[in-house]
PDB file of all heavy atoms in Angstrom:
ATOM      1  N   ASP W 145      99.054 122.641 110.731  1.00 96.00           N
ATOM      2  CA  ASP W 145      98.286 123.854 111.158  1.00 96.00           C
ATOM      3  C   ASP W 145      97.021 124.042 110.404  1.00 96.00           C
ATOM      4  O   ASP W 145      95.994 124.390 110.986  1.00 96.00           O
ATOM      5  CB  ASP W 145      99.176 125.040 110.931  1.00 96.00           C
ATOM      6  CG  ASP W 145     100.372 125.085 111.858  1.00 96.00           C
ATOM      7  OD1 ASP W 145     100.366 124.347 112.919  1.00 96.00           O
ATOM      8  OD2 ASP W 145     101.390 125.856 111.568  1.00 96.00           O
ATOM      9  N   ARG W 146      97.068 123.820 109.096  1.00 96.00           N
ATOM     10  CA  ARG W 146      95.965 124.123 108.261  1.00 96.00           C
ATOM     11  C   ARG W 146      94.853 123.124 108.543  1.00 96.00           C
ATOM     12  O   ARG W 146      93.687 123.465 108.522  1.00 96.00           O
ATOM     13  CB  ARG W 146      96.277 124.005 106.843  1.00 96.00           C
ATOM     14  CG  ARG W 146      97.230 125.205 106.460  1.00 96.00           C
ATOM     15  CD  ARG W 146      97.173 125.595 104.909  1.00 96.00           C
ATOM     16  NE  ARG W 146      97.969 126.786 104.761  1.00 96.00           N
ATOM     17  CZ  ARG W 146      98.833 126.875 103.641  1.00 96.00           C
ATOM     18  NH1 ARG W 146      98.752 125.818 102.746  1.00 96.00           N
ATOM     19  NH2 ARG W 146      99.556 127.914 103.539  1.00 96.00           N
ATOM     20  N   ALA W 147      95.198 121.842 108.787  1.00 96.00           N
ATOM     21  CA  ALA W 147      94.207 120.781 109.052  1.00 96.00           C
ATOM     22  C   ALA W 147      93.450 121.077 110.380  1.00 96.00           C
ATOM     23  O   ALA W 147      92.386 120.507 110.541  1.00 96.00           O
ATOM     24  CB  ALA W 147      94.794 119.492 109.032  1.00 96.00           C
ATOM     25  N   LEU W 148      94.071 121.767 111.287  1.00 95.00           N
ATOM     26  CA  LEU W 148      93.509 122.061 112.640  1.00 95.00           C
ATOM     27  C   LEU W 148      92.824 123.379 112.688  1.00 95.00           C
ATOM     28  O   LEU W 148      92.179 123.736 113.790  1.00 95.00           O
ATOM     29  CB  LEU W 148      94.496 121.794 113.706  1.00 95.00           C
ATOM     30  CG  LEU W 148      95.151 120.309 113.799  1.00 95.00           C
ATOM     31  CD1 LEU W 148      95.964 120.240 115.010  1.00 95.00           C
ATOM     32  CD2 LEU W 148      94.038 119.318 113.681  1.00 95.00           C
ATOM     33  N   GLU W 149      92.903 124.168 111.643  1.00 92.00           N
ATOM     34  CA  GLU W 149      92.349 125.446 111.735  1.00 92.00           C
ATOM     35  C   GLU W 149      90.829 125.425 112.079  1.00 92.00           C
ATOM     36  O   GLU W 149      90.290 126.328 112.685  1.00 92.00           O
ATOM     37  CB  GLU W 149      92.581 126.124 110.380  1.00 92.00           C
ATOM     38  CG  GLU W 149      93.680 127.225 110.409  1.00 92.00           C
ATOM     39  CD  GLU W 149      93.981 127.543 108.969  1.00 92.00           C
ATOM     40  OE1 GLU W 149      93.164 127.471 108.038  1.00 92.00           O
ATOM     41  OE2 GLU W 149      95.200 128.053 108.780  1.00 92.00           O
ATOM     42  N   GLU W 150      90.122 124.519 111.564  1.00 85.00           N
ATOM     43  CA  GLU W 150      88.682 124.419 111.711  1.00 85.00           C
ATOM     44  C   GLU W 150      88.183 123.860 113.006  1.00 85.00           C
ATOM     45  O   GLU W 150      87.032 123.762 113.293  1.00 85.00           O
ATOM     46  CB  GLU W 150      88.124 123.549 110.517  1.00 85.00           C
ATOM     47  CG  GLU W 150      88.423 123.989 109.231  1.00 85.00           C
ATOM     48  CD  GLU W 150      87.420 124.985 108.617  1.00 85.00           C
ATOM     49  OE1 GLU W 150      86.292 125.064 109.154  1.00 85.00           O
ATOM     50  OE2 GLU W 150      87.789 125.901 107.808  1.00 85.00           O
ATOM     51  N   VAL W 151      89.128 123.402 113.699  1.00 87.00           N
ATOM     52  CA  VAL W 151      88.799 122.627 115.027  1.00 87.00           C
ATOM     53  C   VAL W 151      88.840 123.530 116.177  1.00 87.00           C
ATOM     54  O   VAL W 151      89.848 124.167 116.468  1.00 87.00           O
ATOM     55  CB  VAL W 151      89.773 121.500 115.240  1.00 87.00           C
ATOM     56  CG1 VAL W 151      89.419 120.767 116.518  1.00 87.00           C
ATOM     57  CG2 VAL W 151      89.711 120.536 114.105  1.00 87.00           C
ATOM     58  N   HIS W 152      87.606 123.743 116.792  1.00 82.00           N
ATOM     59  CA  HIS W 152      87.509 124.735 117.837  1.00 82.00           C
ATOM     60  C   HIS W 152      87.324 124.072 119.223  1.00 82.00           C
ATOM     61  O   HIS W 152      87.479 124.658 120.257  1.00 82.00           O
ATOM     62  CB  HIS W 152      86.367 125.678 117.603  1.00 82.00           C
ATOM     63  CG  HIS W 152      86.491 126.318 116.271  1.00 82.00           C
ATOM     64  ND1 HIS W 152      87.550 127.159 115.886  1.00 82.00           N
ATOM     65  CD2 HIS W 152      85.770 126.161 115.079  1.00 82.00           C
ATOM     66  CE1 HIS W 152      87.448 127.499 114.665  1.00 82.00           C
ATOM     67  NE2 HIS W 152      86.416 127.003 114.162  1.00 82.00           N
ATOM     68  N   ASP W 153      87.104 122.756 119.202  1.00 82.00           N
ATOM     69  CA  ASP W 153      86.936 122.061 120.534  1.00 82.00           C
ATOM     70  C   ASP W 153      88.283 121.303 120.879  1.00 82.00           C
ATOM     71  O   ASP W 153      88.522 120.247 120.418  1.00 82.00           O
ATOM     72  CB  ASP W 153      85.812 120.975 120.270  1.00 82.00           C
ATOM     73  CG  ASP W 153      85.511 120.319 121.555  1.00 82.00           C
ATOM     74  OD1 ASP W 153      86.360 120.308 122.541  1.00 82.00           O
ATOM     75  OD2 ASP W 153      84.492 119.638 121.715  1.00 82.00           O
ATOM     76  N   GLY W 154      89.053 122.026 121.497  1.00 83.00           N
ATOM     77  CA  GLY W 154      90.491 121.552 121.883  1.00 83.00           C
ATOM     78  C   GLY W 154      90.474 120.384 122.743  1.00 83.00           C
ATOM     79  O   GLY W 154      91.317 119.432 122.471  1.00 83.00           O
ATOM     80  N   GLU W 155      89.479 120.207 123.612  1.00 85.00           N
ATOM     81  CA  GLU W 155      89.488 119.067 124.448  1.00 85.00           C
ATOM     82  C   GLU W 155      89.225 117.751 123.655  1.00 85.00           C
ATOM     83  O   GLU W 155      89.812 116.717 123.825  1.00 85.00           O
ATOM     84  CB  GLU W 155      88.316 119.314 125.446  1.00 85.00           C
ATOM     85  CG  GLU W 155      88.130 118.186 126.492  1.00 85.00           C
ATOM     86  CD  GLU W 155      89.394 117.833 127.233  1.00 85.00           C
ATOM     87  OE1 GLU W 155      90.295 118.606 127.406  1.00 85.00           O
ATOM     88  OE2 GLU W 155      89.537 116.608 127.504  1.00 85.00           O
ATOM     89  N   ARG W 156      88.189 117.974 122.744  1.00 87.00           N
ATOM     90  CA  ARG W 156      87.814 116.766 121.892  1.00 87.00           C
ATOM     91  C   ARG W 156      89.079 116.375 120.992  1.00 87.00           C
ATOM     92  O   ARG W 156      89.309 115.222 120.794  1.00 87.00           O
ATOM     93  CB  ARG W 156      86.600 117.087 121.031  1.00 87.00           C
ATOM     94  CG  ARG W 156      85.928 115.896 120.542  1.00 87.00           C
ATOM     95  CD  ARG W 156      84.759 116.232 119.621  1.00 87.00           C
ATOM     96  NE  ARG W 156      83.771 116.976 120.407  1.00 87.00           N
ATOM     97  CZ  ARG W 156      82.447 116.936 120.154  1.00 87.00           C
ATOM     98  NH1 ARG W 156      82.109 116.231 119.144  1.00 87.00           N
ATOM     99  NH2 ARG W 156      81.510 117.674 120.893  1.00 87.00           N
ATOM    100  N   LEU W 157      89.767 117.341 120.536  1.00 89.00           N
ATOM    101  CA  LEU W 157      90.897 117.131 119.647  1.00 89.00           C
ATOM    102  C   LEU W 157      91.943 116.308 120.437  1.00 89.00           C
ATOM    103  O   LEU W 157      92.507 115.379 119.960  1.00 89.00           O
ATOM    104  CB  LEU W 157      91.425 118.511 119.216  1.00 89.00           C
ATOM    105  CG  LEU W 157      92.689 118.448 118.261  1.00 89.00           C
ATOM    106  CD1 LEU W 157      92.291 118.253 116.866  1.00 89.00           C
ATOM    107  CD2 LEU W 157      93.566 119.638 118.490  1.00 89.00           C
ATOM    108  N   ARG W 158      92.172 116.806 121.564  1.00 88.00           N
ATOM    109  CA  ARG W 158      93.256 116.149 122.354  1.00 88.00           C
ATOM    110  C   ARG W 158      92.921 114.679 122.690  1.00 88.00           C
ATOM    111  O   ARG W 158      93.858 113.790 122.811  1.00 88.00           O
ATOM    112  CB  ARG W 158      93.511 116.850 123.760  1.00 88.00           C
ATOM    113  CG  ARG W 158      94.259 118.163 123.522  1.00 88.00           C
ATOM    114  CD  ARG W 158      94.780 118.790 124.797  1.00 88.00           C
ATOM    115  NE  ARG W 158      93.757 119.364 125.541  1.00 88.00           N
ATOM    116  CZ  ARG W 158      93.340 120.622 125.441  1.00 88.00           C
ATOM    117  NH1 ARG W 158      93.905 121.370 124.547  1.00 88.00           N
ATOM    118  NH2 ARG W 158      92.347 121.131 126.150  1.00 88.00           N
ATOM    119  N   ARG W 159      91.664 114.465 122.889  1.00 90.00           N
ATOM    120  CA  ARG W 159      91.228 113.022 123.230  1.00 90.00           C
ATOM    121  C   ARG W 159      91.143 112.133 122.093  1.00 90.00           C
ATOM    122  O   ARG W 159      91.333 110.894 122.178  1.00 90.00           O
ATOM    123  CB  ARG W 159      89.881 113.065 123.970  1.00 90.00           C
ATOM    124  CG  ARG W 159      89.898 113.323 125.390  1.00 90.00           C
ATOM    125  CD  ARG W 159      88.671 113.088 126.118  1.00 90.00           C
ATOM    126  NE  ARG W 159      87.762 114.238 125.989  1.00 90.00           N
ATOM    127  CZ  ARG W 159      86.581 114.232 125.304  1.00 90.00           C
ATOM    128  NH1 ARG W 159      86.214 113.144 124.749  1.00 90.00           N
ATOM    129  NH2 ARG W 159      85.824 115.241 125.174  1.00 90.00           N
ATOM    130  N   ALA W 160      90.870 112.715 120.839  1.00 95.00           N
ATOM    131  CA  ALA W 160      90.604 111.837 119.762  1.00 95.00           C
ATOM    132  C   ALA W 160      91.559 111.842 118.571  1.00 95.00           C
ATOM    133  O   ALA W 160      91.725 110.826 117.817  1.00 95.00           O
ATOM    134  CB  ALA W 160      89.213 112.342 119.141  1.00 95.00           C
TER     135      ALA W 160
END
Side-chain angles (χ1 to χ4, degrees):
D145 289 343
R146 295 208 177 136
L148 300 188
E149 260 167 21
E150 302 272 335
V151 179
H152 306 298
D153 185 342
E155 179 54 32
R156 200 179 296 210
L157 180 85
R158 285 192 284 276
R159 274 188 283 114

